[in-house]
Amino acid sequence: MLAPTAKIIDGKAVSAKIRAKCKERVADLKRRGVVPGLAVILVGSDPASALYVRNKMRACADVGIKSLRYDFPSDVSADDVLATINDLNANQDIHGILVQLPLPPQIATAKVLRAISAEKDVDGFHLYNVGGLVVGDTVFPPCTPYGVVKLLEHEQIPVEGRNVVVVGASNIVGKPMALMLMQQDATVCICHAKTRDLAQFTILADILVVAAGRPNLILPQMVKTGAAVIDVGINRLADGRLVGDVDFEGVRQKASYITPVPGGVGPMTVTMLLVNTIASAERHPDRSLV
Ligand code: NAP
């Protein structure tokens, strides 16, 4: 019997379609006199964080969102960052506030994320938005799992009633991912580093979302034939290659859909940040969410 070869989900192409819509929405807003504005706070000089920030700001410029960058040295006090967030919360020209993570140890990340107005929390990390995920009416879904939902939607992969296994239980990817797919009536299981015998869970998945940050964690024998496999992981190997968490060449022989790394979930994350910022600006100035 011939093994199925998965359809490779082209995150760049899906992302380009969504960004084209973003441009139209921004043009509409500008006709109404609203220029969507995103404030990006970067603390320290981590090159990876600086690169992410540059990419996000470039994507904003592409669709017509105005982005403003606020740089702080790595030894900045939490109070200084909080004061800037307070100013941005009150600034009518700013519709989204993003704090690039990770933050240096002297700054309590949770406190900073909670200081961002829930109405401008376009990363979706504020407790209000996280709580909204639980009851199914969050204001801003967190960008990476939101991107995965959009990929599944675009490929018309049904979620309702399906077995979904999410590998990884972080606050920014795994947990919100599980909640979002549960809201779509999937039967969801979350696995993490302490899960015993990961394969006994992954093999049941109709949709397998992997966000662990471990190259080659998911091997073909751990995947159900015909499953849709979404690889969120990004790992830089010693030889410089960028890979996900899934053995792509092996698993694509067994799955029905698979996302590549790079070019799968990655481009969607930044795109959903644009979508959230535009949605916030569209609500402006009549916002009263909380
Ligand atoms: P994280 O905070 O380090 O969380 C990793 C999660 O995976 C944890 O829940 C951990 O379990 C679990 N895990 C680790 N090793 C495991 C194993 N052997 N078996 C099962 N579970 C395991 O990472 P994250 O921020 O969620 O990111 C996960 C990956 O996605 C990383 O590679 C990151 O670079 C990538 N990422 C990609 C995008 C994108 O746009 N494509 C966005 C964000 C993140 P414990 O909770 O038990 O420790």
Side-chain angles (χ1 to χ4, degrees):
M1 195 177 72
L2 274 181
T5 303
K7 176 179 179 195
I8 297 172
I9 300 176
D10 184 347
K12 274 194 204 155
V14 180
S15 186
K17 279 189 190 171
I18 298 174
R19 286 191 196 193
K21 282 250 160 60
C22 285
K23 276 188 190 165
E24 289 170 16
R25 287 168 71 180
V26 170
D28 268 357
L29 278 165
K30 286 183 176 169
R31 277 192 284 277
R32 286 162 38 202
V34 178
V35 179
L38 175 71
V40 182
I41 295 176
L42 177 62
V43 181
S45 54
D46 174 54
S49 292
L51 177 66
Y52 288 139
V53 163
R54 277 200 303 278
N55 286 344
K56 288 169 186 176
M57 294 182 75
R58 192 177 308 129
C60 282
D62 261 9
V63 301
I65 295 172
K66 184 176 167 192
S67 64
L68 297 171
R69 178 167 161 170
Y70 296 80
D71 277 278
F72 292 97
S74 55
D75 60 354
V76 68
S77 71
D79 285 348
D80 284 353
V81 177
L82 291 170
T84 299
I85 291 175
N86 281 338
D87 288 348
L88 292 168
N89 282 340
N91 184 338
Q92 292 292 304
D93 295 330
I94 294 295
H95 308 99
I97 303 170
L98 177 159
V99 177
Q100 184 64 43
L101 301 179
L103 290 171
Q106 80 275 11
I107 301 183
T109 302
K111 195 170 172 194
V112 166
L113 295 181
R114 277 171 219 176
I116 297 171
S117 157
E119 291 152 350
K120 299 188 179 187
D121 172 41
V122 287
D123 254 343
F125 296 156
H126 188 283
L127 279 186
Y128 179 87
N129 281 313
V130 176
L133 277 178
V134 177
V135 293
D137 70 348
T138 193
V139 184
F140 299 113
C143 301
T144 300
Y146 193 12
V148 172
V149 165
K150 288 290 161 193
L151 284 179
L152 295 172
E153 223 173 82
H154 182 269
E155 298 300 327
Q156 298 181 309
I157 296 169
V159 173
E160 187 185 301
R162 298 300 169 105
N163 288 351
V164 170
V165 175
V166 179
V167 180
S170 71
N171 290 337
I172 64 167
V173 189
K175 284 183 202 161
M177 182 80 264
L179 287 164
M180 288 165 86
L181 295 176
M182 200 169 78
Q183 292 299 342
Q184 293 188 25
D185 295 323
T187 302
V188 180
C189 163
I190 310 184
C191 301
H192 45 75
K194 281 128 211 142
T195 298
R196 281 178 288 165
D197 189 5
L198 185 61
Q200 68 170 317
F201 298 100
T202 57
I203 197 75
L204 298 176
D206 301 308
I207 300 171
L208 178 60
V209 184
V210 192
R214 300 280 180 275
N216 272 323
L217 180 66
I218 303 299
L219 304 172
Q221 61 271 28
M222 300 166 74
V223 176
K224 181 173 167 179
T225 302
V229 179
I230 309 293
D231 191 353
V232 182
I234 303 176
N235 307 288
R236 179 76 65 185
L237 299 183
D239 64 8
R241 277 184 306 136
L242 208 59
V243 297
D245 292 350
V246 175
D247 166 12
F248 181 81
E249 288 308 327
V251 170
R252 68 185 286 203
Q253 304 302 320
K254 220 174 161 191
S256 58
Y257 293 87
I258 192 166
T259 57
V261 178
V265 176
M268 295 296 288
T269 296
V270 178
T271 297
M272 301 327 290
L273 172 70
L274 306 178
V275 169
N276 277 346
T277 305
I278 293 166
S280 178
E282 287 170 342
R283 212 172 22 242
H284 176 82
D286 309 313
R287 60 163 80 90
S288 57
L289 301 173
V290 189

